[in-house]
Amino acid sequence: MRIPVFAANWKMHKTGLEAVAWIREFAVATKNLSAADAEVIIAPPFTAIAAAVEATRGATLAVAGQNLHFERQGAFTGEVSAALLKAAGADLVIIGHSERRRIFGETDESVQRKVTAAHTAGLVPIVCVGETLDERERGETLAVLDRQLKAGLDGCSGDQIAALILAYEPVWAIGTGKNATATEAGEAHAHLRRRLREWFGGTHADRCRILYGGSVKPENIKELIGLEDVDGALVGGASLESSTFAAIVSVSATL
Ligand code: 13P
């Protein structure tokens, strides 16, 4: 039995003050939801992490970074290491988001180094994989997922696989309003689970949570979360309003 996870990726939105206001509103909107129903994660920009950590003290919300640099410290102007994130109070970190891969040139190799750095610092990685529209239209979806998964998780132990969070985010569904259909998401998630089983063993693979991301909203979450291998959602645009994200998270009480 996997507890569903709902993660809010705020991307480059929200100051510390805005984060605190969101957290307060969200707490009120979800006061009837039990921690056994769902785990909830927010990923603010680096500059709002400390304020978010302070505001979530005593709450069941966990805080994640949106990226990290794989070196522990050094002359890397503008970068933030896993150790710095951990010291700021984050417990998780998003790695390999398609915006990082596409806009900032991240590779499968850098994803792997970041996953290792996160584990070394005691952060839980949220590893993103997903195909572009071109890749889907060429029939390469599963091959792309295999490549990203194999390279990104290379060197992980079974226990690390069980604890980490995987996110299937088809690039064509991100910020477009066009989510994957149940058939498309179901096929990709089942494939990812099958590969995790092959490579890391069934016991560990069956504990890993695999989230869907890409135009998730209150109107489509029920169908997506109803799929066997969809264990929650990584939400961008619809997480910016606390009430909308609360509506998404609230479906977990009906599962
Ligand atoms: P949207 O929910 O805005 O499509 O973004 C998804 C995403 O990139 C989450 O990481």
Side-chain angles (χ1 to χ4, degrees), residues 40-41 46 79 105 107 114 148 152 166 195 201 242:
V40 183
I41 299 162
F46 292 140
E79 293 292 329
T107 62
K114 289 179 180 203
Q148 293 176 338
L166 204 59
R195 287 294 190 242
S242 59

Side-chain angles (χ1 to χ4, degrees), residues 9 11 97 99 169 173-175 213-216 234-237:
N9 177 8
K11 307 191 180 183
H97 191 281
E99 285 150 18
E169 296 208 313
I174 295 177
S215 296
V216 170
L234 180 54
V235 187

Side-chain angles (χ1 to χ4, degrees), residues 199-216:
W199 296 335
F200 299 99
T203 316
H204 299 301
D206 288 349
R207 284 170 54 204
C208 176
R209 268 86 56 92
I210 310 180
L211 314 186
Y212 168 79
S215 296
V216 170

Side-chain angles (χ1 to χ4, degrees), residues 22-43:
W22 187 103
I23 290 162
R24 291 202 180 120
E25 291 159 12
F26 182 78
V28 173
T30 55
K31 64 178 184 311
N32 294 327
L33 206 68
S34 111
D37 290 332
E39 289 174 22
V40 183
I41 299 162
I42 52 172

